[in-house]
Amino acid sequence: GVAGSGRIAQPNARAPDAADTRRGSSGALTPPSASSAPRSPSAEKSQRERPSAGPGPAMSRRVVRQSKFRHVFGQAAKADQAYEDIRVSKVTWDSSFCAVNPKFLAIIVEAGGGGAFIVLPLAKTGRVDKNYPLVTGHTAPVLDIDWCPHNDNVIASASDDTTIMVWQIPDYTPVRNITEPIITLEGHSKRVGILSWHPTARNVLLSAGGDNVIIVWNVGTGEVLLSLDDMHPDVIHSVCWNTNGSLLATTCKDKTLRIIDPRKGQVVAVSAWPGHSPAPTSGGSYQASVPALP
């Protein structure tokens, strides 16, 4: 309609305010910016859902998953429940340097003039006397020890002097060093660093040496039951029986895992070590998978 002043009134018109106009340094009014224009409901919703940019470290702390064991702490045993003053061997060999059974704890220790290990009863803990009797007899450092699973008083030791010795440990504490083994097994040409008793057959002991040879012994007679000397082109790192003793698993410096049937005297499966390229088998072919075993 026509107003009394003669001007035409536009519907829905309103005067510009501070939100619609900005005043420059000269005092002139400038048109409203695009950011101040009315927004659609969808644009406002997306703006609300967009996460606000917070400080970087705070964000990283929120997304890191915390361990469920963060409040779990170990507690050292009391002095009367531990062994103290044991001079553990410093020989450079990859071994646990200890072995335990239901009655004894055996630890390879430093000894002058050869190799030795100490045998301590589990029932008696505390500070170990520096003159406690040792098991000695090897002319070079002891590299591995293993208790017989069928007799808690029998232990085998392997040494850098290329021999294996089997010992009878009395139930009482000896008054002097034990120097006479039950039997000494000789057959390796280099150091012997791995021992493993057969889990089910009595008097059967496995040894592996730096000569890349695995020997299975009859401890009762001292004879060699089996010698596997052409299966590993490099140093053998570990050997393990399966639960019934029908198969062997070995790892080697050539990054290959082998499953061996000792009765057949042959490798029944070969697999490259995870994360490494497959290594060639004795036949010159490459096998990257382990077949199903009975």
Side-chain angles (χ1 to χ4, degrees), residues 35-169:
S35 60
S36 61
R39 297 178 179 177
S40 62
S42 59
E44 294 180 357
K45 181 178 180 182
S46 62
Q47 179 66 20
R48 289 195 302 269
E49 294 178 350
R50 184 180 305 168
S52 59
M59 291 292 293
S60 62
R61 284 196 296 269
R62 285 199 295 268
V63 299
V64 173
R65 180 183 299 174
Q66 294 186 0
S67 172
K68 66 176 70 174
F69 302 106
R70 64 186 180 276
H71 299 305
V72 178
F73 301 95
Q75 184 176 0
K78 297 181 180 179
D80 59 347
Q81 298 176 345
Y83 298 97
E84 294 183 329
D85 292 345
I86 299 176
R87 298 176 298 168
V88 181
S89 175
K90 298 178 181 178
V91 65
T92 55
W93 184 256
D94 188 11
S95 172
S96 61
F97 295 102
C98 65
V100 66
N101 69 5
K103 296 170 67 174
F104 300 104
L105 168 67
I107 303 173
I108 302 174
V109 296
E110 287 287 318
F117 60 96
I118 188 172
V119 178
L120 303 169
L122 296 182
K124 184 179 180 181
T125 56
R127 188 178 299 274
V128 178
D129 188 274
K130 64 178 181 179
N131 296 319
Y132 194 93
L134 305 176
V135 181
T136 62
H138 288 286
T139 59
V142 176
L143 302 180
D144 195 18
I145 50 179
D146 194 30
W147 289 102
C148 176
H150 310 291
N151 188 334
D152 290 339
N153 294 80
V154 174
I155 187 172
S157 61
S159 172
D160 207 346
D161 63 7
T162 74
T163 66
I164 301 109
M165 294 183 178
V166 181
W167 309 85
Q168 179 78 32
I169 306 299

Side-chain angles (χ1 to χ4, degrees), residues 170-194:
D171 288 326
Y172 59 88
T173 301
V175 295
R176 59 179 59 89
N177 290 348
I178 300 175
T179 59
E180 295 295 330
I182 300 174
I183 192 170
T184 300
L185 306 174
E186 299 180 354
H188 288 279
S189 60
K190 294 184 179 180
R191 66 171 62 181
V192 185
I194 299 174

Side-chain angles (χ1 to χ4, degrees), residues 144-150 156-158 164 192-201 203-208 214-217 219 238-242 245 247-249:
D144 195 18
I145 50 179
D146 194 30
W147 289 102
C148 176
H150 310 291
S157 61
I164 301 109
V192 185
I194 299 174
L195 291 176
S196 181
W197 290 92
H198 195 281
T200 57
N203 295 330
V204 177
L205 176 66
L206 176 147
S207 64
I214 293 177
I215 299 179
V216 179
W217 305 85
V219 175
S238 62
V239 181
C240 182
W241 296 95
N242 66 345
L247 295 172
L248 287 171

